[in-house]
């Protein structure tokens, strides 16, 4: 009898929990390293390189096994990850040399004209 009452209680709370979760944005930690092949992490089978913290994140989160970069250079790939657009759409096709940073306009952004995944809302609608 107790089990039945507990089941009913939790069944009644489930819609409340779902509604509360729908009202707040997801909490996502996105880690991107530069020039690091997946094969350099223990979580992806490397027996020689010790990466216990990254391995734990992979174990407790999501481990991607079929990910591909859209470009061999870091800047186009980062812009694609931020915007969801291909390099032919966002216009970044090569590495952005940060040694030339002092020559760039002060408030310049490579992807400012595009909606990015870090935008929390667009026209009042939650993106994620």
């Amino acid at each position: 009898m107790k089990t039945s009452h507990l089941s009913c209680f939790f069944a009644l709370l489930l819609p409340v929990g779902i509604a509360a979760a729908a009202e707040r944005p997801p909490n996502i930690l996105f880690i991107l390293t530069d020039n690091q092949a997946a094969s350099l992490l223990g979580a992806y089978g490397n027996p020689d390189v010790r990466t216990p913290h990254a391995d734990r994140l992979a174990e407790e989160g999501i481990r991607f096994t079929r990910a591909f970069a859209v470009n061999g250079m870091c800047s186009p790939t980062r812009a694609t990850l931020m915007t969801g657009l291909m390099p032919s759409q966002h216009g970044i096709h090569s590495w952005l040399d940060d040694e030339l940073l002092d020559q760039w306009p002060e408030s310049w952004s490579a992807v400012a004209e595009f909606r990015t995944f870090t935008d929390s809302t667009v026209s009042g609608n939650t993106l994620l």
Side-chain angles (χ1 to χ4, degrees):
M1 191 76 162
K2 280 186 177 181
T3 304
S4 176
H5 289 322
L6 283 176
S7 297
C8 290
F9 176 73
F10 287 117
L12 290 172
L13 288 180
L14 184 62
V16 174
I18 292 171
E23 291 176 9
R24 65 176 184 259
N27 185 12
I28 298 172
L29 174 63
F30 183 79
I31 300 172
L32 176 66
T33 59
D34 201 16
N35 297 323
Q36 180 179 359
S39 61
L40 295 177
L41 294 170
Y44 288 89
N46 190 310
D48 301 316
V49 179
R50 304 274 185 236
T51 56
H53 301 295
D55 297 348
R56 183 173 174 201
L57 284 171
E59 182 181 313
E60 294 177 4
I62 297 173
R63 188 171 62 91
F64 294 99
T65 59
R66 296 182 187 171
F68 299 92
V70 297
N71 191 297
M73 302 299 285
C74 55
S75 299
T77 299
R78 288 180 183 150
T80 292
L81 290 170
M82 291 291 292
T83 65
L85 302 173
M86 296 297 288
S88 59
Q89 296 172 300
H90 58 60
I92 301 171
H93 300 280
S94 188
W95 165 54
L96 299 175
D97 188 349
D98 56 358
E99 289 185 14
L100 303 175
L101 185 63
D102 61 339
Q103 298 174 22
W104 297 351
E106 186 176 326
S107 62
W108 183 78
S109 168
V111 294
E113 65 191 273
F114 302 105
R115 182 176 72 180
T116 64
F117 80 90
T118 59
D119 295 334
S120 61
T121 60
V122 173
S123 302
N125 297 320
T126 302
L127 290 177
L128 299 174

